[in-house]
Amino acid sequence: MPKQPRAWQRMLSGRRLDLLDPTPMDIEIEDIAHGLAFVARWNGQTFGDFPYSVAEHSLLVETLYSRMNPTAPVKWRLAALLHDAPEYVIGDMISPVKSAVGPAYGEMDDRLMAAIHIKFGLPAKLPDTIKRAIKQADRISAWLEATQIAGFAVEEANKFFGTPDPKQIDGLTIVLRAPANVRKDFTDRHLALLGQMT
């Protein structure tokens, strides 16, 4: 009988995360923050001496979501911060690759996201209105990244990501930083939001 391929990953926390059947018990914020701080967005095709990480992107999305939804409950701000959390183990695949891989990627992402949400007191599946609002912040973040660090002209970014309201992006400048600094800021922001939920 052929041996089954390994479908789990050992985390730096010592947890063993089963990618096919993840449980909230195997989720640690330190693992998420560390992984996301070392996963590059845009397949690493950004200007600067450091990669633009998914952790940095997640902090920006939470900032944008909070600006766009100033009266939103803290739990949805936390959901915005964690919107790409499964990428700490499955990486940040660009949209064309996700399309080529097919539904299996989305299913694995959904299982991991449900376990992460439950771990941190969120519903396993977010309401559609919240998902759409976070996605809107995500698209504005992509526009900022595209125009500031990924070499897109404004007109090109407008075509792919939509044209943001200038008030929503006022004063937001992307600064590439060392992964350790981003990891700390992500962990600190997560802790602050969790503290406001209780």
Side-chain angles (χ1 to χ4, degrees), residues 28-109:
E28 297 292 343
I29 194 58
E30 292 80 11
D31 292 333
I32 293 172
H34 182 82
L36 294 184
F38 284 89
V39 174
R41 293 226 344 132
W42 303 92
N43 276 352
Q45 297 301 306
T46 52
F47 300 115
D49 295 328
F50 295 107
Y52 183 70
S53 72
V54 175
E56 192 81 80
H57 162 77
S58 298
L59 287 162
L60 180 56
V61 169
E62 192 264 323
T63 296
L64 286 163
Y65 176 82
S66 296
R67 280 187 176 194
M68 297 160 63
N69 304 277
T71 62
V74 174
K75 66 180 177 179
W76 302 140
R77 294 176 185 192
L78 179 61
L81 181 69
L82 296 172
H83 80 284
D84 278 339
E87 294 178 9
Y88 85 108
V89 285
I90 60 177
D92 179 35
M93 268 194 229
I94 59 173
S95 296
V97 175
K98 288 178 187 175
S99 298
V101 170
Y105 177 89
E107 291 164 8
M108 187 175 357
D109 185 269

Side-chain angles (χ1 to χ4, degrees), residues 2-30:
K3 185 178 177 184
Q4 290 293 320
R6 177 170 67 91
W8 55 266
Q9 180 176 348
R10 183 172 303 283
M11 299 292 143
L12 291 178
S13 65
R15 297 285 188 187
R16 183 186 288 194
L17 182 67
D18 184 338
L19 299 178
L20 300 179
D21 187 23
T23 69
M25 284 181 46
D26 295 321
I27 306 293
E28 297 292 343
I29 194 58
E30 292 80 11

